[in-house]
Amino acid sequence: MRARPPAALEHDAVPWLLVVALATAGPHAEHLPAWLTLLVAAALLWRTWLWHQQRRMPPRWSLALLVIAAVAAIGWQFGSLFGKDAGVAMLVLFMALKPLEMHSRRDALVVIMLGYFLLLTHYFYSQSIPTGLWLLAACTLLTGALLRLHGGAQPVIAIARQAGLLLLQALPFMLLLYLLFPRVTGPLWGLPQDAHAGLSGLPSQMSPGSISNLTLSGAIAFRSRFAGEIPEQADLYWRGPVFDEYDGVTWRASRQHGRSPAPAPVIEARGPAHDYSSILEAHNQRWLLALDVPTRLPPDSSLAATLEAQSREPLRIRSRFSFSSVLDYRANRMEAPASLQQALTLPPQGNPRTRALASEWQSRPPARIAEAALAMFRQEDFHYTLRPPLLGADAIDEFLFDSRRGFCEHYASAFVFLMRAAGVPARVVAGYQGGELNPVDGYLTVRQSDAHAWAEIWLADEGWLRIDPTAAVAPSRIEQGIVAALPAGEPLPGIIRLDADWMRDLRNRWEAANNTWNQWVLGYNPQRQREVLSRLGWPDPDWQSMTASLAVLCGLALLVVALWTLPGRRRDDPVQRAWQAYCAQLGRRGIIRADWEGPLDFAQRVAREKPELATLTSEAARHYAELRYGDGDSDGEPLRRLQQCVQRLPPQRRRKT
């Protein structure tokens, strides 16, 4: 037998597929190279023009050459055809070019299935609430296109209603999978080469511009919620990496930190402890940004010799941690000689004017040396700015004696250099300072714009003491935040410059909603899953019991949905009964309607196979579509006309024997 040719694609169904391609591939323009975005746009516009003008498709050999050239260009652009960015680029390319060879209904199905798959790739780049809403709308559009493809021409409202109903039927399965599917640690969408690319946060080394560049971002670094009263703004120092090695340009963590295990730091609390939990955004580093200084740490973490809390592995997913910190403390009053020697090391040459000034202070006690440096910053003409001039080889000299304009990293770096040159052990600490309370959910929000650098010096019988030279130049930075410290016109993110109360309130509500989304949807990890199931009366679930329960409950949900949608459920529906009676009459004449065949498509086939029944069948199909998918009254005139169509069918001629 000869294979039946695939059904031709209806002309009026093409716009649905083009909109599908645009809705699923278009948002990726933000992540694609410009040339590929232009190519995708040109391909979709070309296909739209061909449809409008009813022109022939381009020959397959030309499309093959275009695909080969575009794939080669993607490989050259990304250096590989594997990985997140290259893979997404190829999927978008295929989605744009497939409509140019779309002749049959089977080709259209490929476009729709590719669209469903392409929706998943948007989560590679964003898992925010707007992304989720857009993908829900796009999924509804894809389902509607599938209905249009098989159900024929129908009102858009009817298609949207039916697509929404289908998605509603999938809701029980979604909830069951969300609650019971065993969770895994690590990023769900991770790829080996580039799963953690693009994560932002504090740098692992500090040079002029490192912190100030980070300050230009209004992104949230972490959120913290205190069990009791929130400390004063000036006390909110969130400790990150500690830099104690300097090469004349860049500060780094000493290489000795990772060579041999250092003794645990000795912390003497001199004030009350503050209990709090923090939700940290992924930054691909080990530091946990605890309030300076932590005394109780979460599991799988430790306190480094330089007092920063560190996790066992880099933080690659958004995570929640609980801490207890004291703000008044003494740390390492008996410090290791090797650590003190490292905290005095300077490059052998460079910055002669700074060294000369420090030599004048060497006869003073260490605490007085620190006071002299702070007095210089406080009393002389120093300026706090995000736009300092570029510095040369002797950067410390040029900053202290010439430009006198800089950001926190300039002041911390210059202060520590002065202390070391004067014989006082000192180091640079990077982290965040401050935070903004969100009154909607009670979380303290710390942004990348709160990134900060300060200094520590070691004094005998006192241990390591925090000294923030920025506070001597711009005390409002520590007491009120960065917006109060910088003059108007400085390049700060607009989100932290909102002055109107209603705008600030709107931002707080939006960020609180995002926080809830992050915790209960994106942050539904194994720990959170155990908490939820224990509240539901399942104290100690394991993956075997959860899998078995998931299978049973999904089976029950499938049974309920099947009973809801079985054809027998509508036996008392007069509209369905009249249409089935009409189709049964045509079936006796040799024209059997397939289960998947929509009323209008069926009418078109009847017109081809039985032209004498074309008018009557078209009328019956139109009345049925209006009643089933439109706003027609099932007890009104359209129903009577549909029933009359059944009666108006000419009697079937008997075959002669």
Side-chain angles (χ1 to χ4, degrees):
M1 296 178 60
R2 297 179 60 183
R4 185 177 180 180
L9 179 62
E10 185 183 348
H11 181 263
D12 290 338
V14 173
W16 284 82
L17 301 166
L18 294 177
V19 173
V20 159
L22 182 62
T24 56
H28 276 307
E30 180 182 356
H31 318 292
L32 297 176
W35 66 266
L36 184 55
T37 301
L38 292 175
L39 176 60
V40 169
L44 293 178
L45 288 173
W46 186 15
R47 182 62 178 90
T48 303
W49 181 81
L50 292 174
W51 169 81
H52 185 264
Q53 299 294 326
Q54 298 189 19
R55 300 292 184 91
R56 296 183 60 182
M57 296 286 196
R60 290 184 178 270
W61 62 266
S62 62
L63 289 178
L65 291 178
L66 183 58
V67 169
I68 293 172
V71 170
I74 290 173
W76 174 82
Q77 177 81 40
F78 297 102
S80 171
L81 292 179
F82 300 97
K84 176 184 68 178
D85 294 328
V88 170
M90 285 197 293
L91 284 175
V92 172
L93 173 69
F94 297 155
M95 173 58 86
L97 295 183
K98 180 62 181 176
L100 287 171
E101 63 164 11
M102 190 169 57
H103 298 276
S104 65
R105 184 178 294 169
R106 184 168 56 191
D107 295 328
L109 280 175
V110 172
V111 171
I112 293 175
M113 294 302 112
L114 183 59
Y116 279 119
F117 187 78
L118 193 57
L119 287 184
L120 300 177
T121 63
H122 291 279
Y123 283 120
F124 287 152
Y125 302 98
S126 173
Q127 299 177 18
S128 64
I129 294 176
T131 300
L133 293 175
W134 174 260
L135 297 189
L136 178 61
C139 186
T140 306
L141 175 63
L142 281 162
T143 307
L146 196 61
L147 290 169
R148 173 61 182 84
L149 189 64
H150 289 296
Q154 305 168 39
V156 175
I157 296 298
I159 294 177
R161 184 185 302 154
Q162 186 69 12
L165 181 63
L166 290 175
L167 294 181
L168 184 63
Q169 293 171 5
L171 183 61
F173 302 96
M174 182 199 74
L175 294 176
L176 289 172
L177 289 169
Y178 170 78
L179 287 173
L180 296 177
F181 192 85
R183 300 284 158 164
V184 295
T185 56
L188 179 61
W189 306 109
L191 297 174
Q193 294 93 336
D194 48 16
H196 312 294
L199 300 180
S200 64
L202 290 171
S204 58
Q205 59 188 29
M206 190 189 80
S207 55
S210 300
I211 305 296
S212 57
N213 290 336
L214 189 60
T215 305
L216 299 177
S217 170
I220 293 176
F222 60 95
R223 296 177 172 93
S224 293
R225 189 169 192 171
F226 287 81
E229 186 177 353
I230 300 176
E232 296 294 330
Q233 179 84 3
D235 295 327
L236 295 174
Y237 282 84
W238 308 91
R239 194 182 189 92
V242 176
F243 306 125
D244 54 5
E245 187 175 282
Y246 185 56
D247 62 6
V249 178
T250 302
W251 288 92
R252 298 180 177 86
S254 173
R255 297 182 180 90
Q256 295 180 356
H257 292 173
R259 292 179 180 175
S260 58
V266 179
I267 299 174
E268 302 173 30
R270 302 196 299 184
H274 295 269
D275 297 330
Y276 59 98
S277 61
S278 292
I279 303 172
L280 273 67
E281 299 295 321
H283 52 64
N284 207 24
Q285 303 290 345
R286 293 178 57 200
W287 47 75
L288 296 180
L289 303 170
L291 190 63
D292 199 14
V293 67
T295 55
R296 179 173 57 83
L297 299 174
D300 297 327
S301 63
S302 60
L303 194 63
T306 48
L307 304 180
E308 72 261 31
Q310 295 182 343
S311 63
R312 181 181 300 175
E313 300 292 336
L315 198 65
R316 291 173 175 148
I317 59 173
R318 184 183 295 106
S319 304
R320 174 192 289 270
F321 301 98
S322 296
F323 301 92
S324 184
S325 295
V326 292
L327 307 182
D328 187 7
Y329 61 90
R330 287 178 177 175
N332 281 8
R333 288 200 291 167
M334 302 296 294
E335 185 60 277
S339 297
L340 294 178
Q341 182 59 41
Q342 178 62 45
L344 289 168
T345 303
L346 286 174
Q349 297 179 343
N351 301 296
R353 288 184 286 176
T354 304
R355 294 176 192 266
L357 176 62
S359 66
E360 297 176 4
W361 296 344
Q362 284 183 340
S363 59
R364 306 179 186 182
R368 297 292 181 266
I369 295 175
E371 291 175 1
L374 293 176
M376 179 181 67
F377 288 138
R378 187 180 300 113
Q379 298 170 7
E380 299 188 19
D381 191 25
F382 284 90
H383 300 274
Y384 182 70
T385 177
L386 281 170
R387 297 173 174 174
L390 295 177
L391 303 175
D394 295 325
I396 304 296
D397 275 0
E398 293 182 25
F399 168 68
L400 287 177
F401 301 101
D402 298 328
S403 72
R404 296 192 169 188
R405 302 175 64 84
F407 198 57
C408 59
E409 65 258 41
H410 296 84
Y411 290 99
S413 178
F415 180 85
V416 172
F417 193 100
L418 272 168
M419 293 301 99
R420 291 188 175 190
V424 181
R427 60 196 184 190
V428 176
V429 183
Y432 297 86
Q433 199 286 320
E436 180 184 9
L437 178 65
N438 188 330
V440 177
D441 59 6
Y443 276 85
L444 189 77
T445 302
V446 181
R447 305 180 187 278
Q448 300 296 351
S449 55
D450 295 315
H452 192 54
W454 59 93
E456 283 183 332
I457 63 172
W458 187 86
L459 301 179
D461 294 329
E462 291 289 333
W464 290 100
L465 300 179
R466 181 200 309 134
I467 294 182
D468 191 347
T470 301
V473 181
S476 58
R477 163 64 183 92
I478 309 305
E479 297 170 0
Q480 303 176 40
I482 190 171
V483 176
L486 291 172
E490 292 280 350
L492 277 177
I495 193 171
I496 67 172
R497 285 193 179 274
L498 298 177
D499 295 328
D501 291 339
W502 70 269
M503 295 179 67
R504 190 180 298 109
D505 180 68
L506 185 62
R507 184 196 68 187
N508 288 335
R509 292 183 183 278
W510 174 249
E511 291 183 347
N514 270 294
N515 189 26
T516 303
W517 170 269
N518 292 338
Q519 291 189 61
W520 289 101
V521 179
L522 305 182
Y524 191 68
N525 54 23
Q527 178 182 359
R528 180 57 63 94
Q529 186 179 46
R530 286 192 294 270
E531 293 176 2
V532 172
L533 294 180
S534 64
R535 293 177 185 175
L536 296 176
W538 198 347
D540 190 22
D542 53 25
W543 70 268
Q544 295 96 333
S545 59
M546 285 193 295
T547 303
S549 300
L550 181 63
V552 172
L553 292 175
C554 283
L556 292 176
L558 182 62
L559 179 61
V560 171
V561 172
L563 292 175
W564 180 26
T565 57
L566 280 176
R569 178 179 173 269
R570 294 183 175 177
R571 282 179 298 181
D572 296 333
D573 184 352
V575 175
Q576 190 71 18
R577 187 168 60 249
W579 174 246
Q580 289 179 351
Y582 188 89
C583 294
Q585 291 289 343
L586 293 183
R588 297 189 184 97
R589 291 165 171 78
I591 308 177
I592 301 175
R593 184 180 66 86
D595 292 337
W596 51 262
E597 202 167 14
L600 302 185
D601 279 353
F602 180 55
Q604 292 178 1
R605 183 160 68 87
V606 171
R608 292 193 300 270
E609 298 181 9
K610 295 285 187 178
E612 66 276 13
L613 298 177
T615 302
L616 183 60
T617 304
S618 178
E619 181 182 350
R622 187 174 69 255
H623 291 319
Y624 175 72
E626 179 182 353
L627 289 164
R628 178 58 57 215
Y629 306 111
D631 298 326
D633 185 3
S634 59
D635 295 328
E637 185 64 23
L639 175 60
R640 287 192 290 272
R641 291 180 179 177
L642 175 59
Q643 294 169 340
Q644 290 173 2
C645 289
V646 181
Q647 301 169 1
R648 287 162 52 193
L649 273 170
Q652 186 178 2
R653 296 180 181 178
R654 295 183 180 181
R655 296 181 180 179
K656 296 181 179 180
T657 57

